[in-house]
């Protein structure tokens, strides 16, 4: 996953002075143990995680695999070539992104079928998480071609671990819709999920996204992480409404952004009278669907059940 880890997002900035690394080699390219220089990686598709900002955040196994690959598939050859140069690697690169994947994939599959070692990387982070590559993996698995992963940097996990919010259960939901109405509808669908929520977001839309989240989810604790692993890394932690007000006043932050929102606040289970009172108050100025969504989010109840009760109250004399 990227520094926002999404196709078409701004290019990650890698340190100009990042030193070349001298890996501790293993005899089979990181797939076994021992010393000496690595042999060529095994044929197949290798999903290689790359740094999300700091060029040193790449594993020795990833370097071995990139060094031994016959071909490296990447979103933007300029970004990947810079990373390769920093680490002293020189391999053929082929663009593979949302706009050309359907055209390129048959050629890649043919090379894999012939026994090639092909590495797939994203611009930053772990491939396939808000990045192209899923369809290629599906086709490779269906064709019986070996597929392996080389874990590494991920902006999603980096932000989650820094947010100081529950990490035992979380849902990664990618980017929310850019339009407010659709964004609020999606947030309403997620309101009852009893886990931390992780989103990628454009810096330009951040204040609007936080404001919509506050309106739908209430004053939940949240964290905005940006420039992760870089020199100006920042994590701002507060309630959704306070964070929305801050970024509305301060303007869009620089860098790539990950938003982590805490799970529904623990409240006592409302009795039927409390639920009806809240629903009647909302039904006075909203339809059953909108009223149910807001009350369900406030009480942490399933929206379907609250909607059924809202319809019953609306139809009651």
């Amino acid at each position: 996953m990227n520094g926002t880890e999404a196709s078409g997002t701004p290019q990650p900035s890698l340190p100009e002075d990042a030193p070349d690394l001298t890996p501790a080699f293993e005899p089979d390219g990181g797939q076994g143990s021992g010393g000496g220089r690595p042999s060529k990686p095994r044929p197949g598709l290798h999903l290689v995680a790359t740094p999300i900002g700091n060029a040193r955040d790449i594993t020795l196994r990833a370097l071995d695999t990139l060094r031994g690959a016959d071909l490296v598939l990447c979103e933007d050859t300029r970004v990947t070539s810079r990373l390769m140069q920093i680490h002293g690697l020189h391999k053929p690169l082929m663009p593979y992104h949302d706009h050309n994947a359907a055209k390129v994939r048959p050629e890649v599959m043919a090379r894999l079928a012939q026994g090639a070692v092909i590495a797939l990387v994203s611009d930053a982070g772990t491939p396939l998480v808000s990045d192209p590559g899923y369809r290629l993996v599906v086709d490779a698995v269906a064709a019986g071609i070996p597929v392996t992963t080389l874990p590494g940097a991920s902006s999603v996990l980096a932000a989650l671990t820094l947010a100081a919010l529950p990490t035992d259960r979380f849902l990664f939901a990618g980017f929310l819709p850019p339009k407010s109405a659709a964004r609020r509808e999606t947030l309403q669908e997620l309101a009852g999920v009893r886990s931390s929520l992780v989103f990628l977001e454009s810096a330009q839309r951040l204040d609007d996204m936080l404001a919509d989240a506050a309106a739908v989810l209430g004053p939940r604790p949240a964290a905005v992480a940006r420039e992760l692993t870089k020199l100006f890394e920042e994590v701002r932690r507060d309630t959704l409404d306070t964070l929305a007000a801050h970024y509305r006043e301060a303007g869009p932050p620089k860098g790539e952004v990950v938003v982590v929102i805490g799970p529904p606040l623990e409240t006592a289970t409302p009795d039927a009278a409390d639920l009806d009172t809240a629903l009647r108050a909302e039904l006075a100025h909203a339809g059953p669907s909108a009223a149910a969504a807001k009350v369900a989010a406030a009480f942490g109840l399933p929206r379907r059940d609250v909607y059924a009760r809202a319809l019953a109250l609306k139809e009651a004399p």
Side-chain angles (χ1 to χ4, degrees):
M1 267 250 317
N2 293 333
T4 66
E5 296 183 346
S7 179
T9 55
Q11 306 299 336
S13 58
L14 302 174
E16 293 286 349
D17 58 348
D20 192 4
L21 300 181
T22 303
F25 294 115
E26 293 179 343
D28 60 355
Q31 306 205 25
S33 61
R37 296 195 64 81
S39 61
K40 188 177 180 64
R42 296 167 186 167
L45 180 63
H46 299 251
L47 311 177
V48 181
T50 56
I52 60 175
N54 191 315
R56 292 179 65 84
D57 290 338
I58 189 167
T59 69
L60 301 179
R61 183 177 168 222
L63 292 171
D64 290 346
T65 297
L66 292 174
R67 183 178 289 107
D70 298 311
L71 176 67
V72 177
L73 301 177
C74 53
E75 290 182 88
D76 189 324
T77 57
R78 297 167 298 177
V79 174
T80 302
S81 63
R82 187 178 182 192
L83 178 65
M84 301 278 279
Q85 290 169 6
I86 287 172
H87 294 291
L89 304 175
H90 304 280
K91 286 291 174 177
L93 305 179
M94 175 185 288
Y96 186 86
H97 45 71
D98 287 334
H99 303 294
N100 76 343
K103 181 178 180 180
V104 171
R105 194 160 51 245
E107 178 184 348
V108 175
M109 288 296 299
R111 294 191 62 170
L112 287 169
Q114 294 167 2
V117 177
I118 297 182
L120 173 68
V121 303
S122 63
D123 280 349
T126 301
L128 274 69
V129 184
S130 287
D131 282 327
Y134 163 74
R135 186 72 251 175
L136 178 60
V137 170
V138 170
D139 289 357
V141 170
I145 293 168
V147 179
T148 190
T149 186
L150 286 73
S154 165
S155 65
V156 171
L157 293 179
L160 182 67
T161 56
L162 289 174
L165 294 168
T167 58
D168 55 335
R169 295 179 63 187
F170 71 94
L171 172 67
F172 171 61
F175 282 90
L176 287 167
K179 301 295 185 181
S180 180
R183 185 162 54 225
R184 290 194 178 206
E185 182 177 354
T186 300
L187 286 165
Q188 287 169 352
E189 293 171 357
L190 298 173
V193 176
R194 294 189 172 276
S195 66
S196 294
L197 305 174
V198 186
F199 302 96
L200 306 178
E201 190 51 87
S202 158
Q204 299 297 324
R205 293 197 300 262
L206 179 61
D207 61 334
D208 290 336
M209 177 268 192
L210 291 169
D212 284 342
V216 174
L217 304 178
R220 292 194 195 180
V224 175
R226 68 179 189 89
E227 295 286 82
L228 291 171
T229 77
K230 302 177 186 178
L231 180 61
F232 297 106
E233 176 182 290
E234 178 187 62
V235 182
R236 184 173 292 272
R237 306 171 184 89
D238 216 314
T239 58
L240 282 169
D241 52 341
T242 302
L243 288 170
H246 168 77
Y247 287 107
R248 187 175 298 112
E249 180 179 351
K254 294 182 179 180
E256 300 166 338
V257 176
V258 184
V259 177
V260 184
I261 302 174
L265 300 174
E266 293 296 331
T267 58
T269 303
D271 59 28
D274 291 336
L275 181 62
D276 285 358
T277 298
L279 279 172
R280 287 193 179 97
E282 292 300 323
L283 287 169
H285 56 79
S289 179
K294 189 166 184 178
V295 172
F299 286 100
L301 297 174
R303 183 183 179 187
R304 179 180 299 177
D305 295 345
V306 179
Y307 179 63
R309 183 56 185 161
L311 287 178
L313 292 174
K314 187 73 173 179
E315 296 169 359

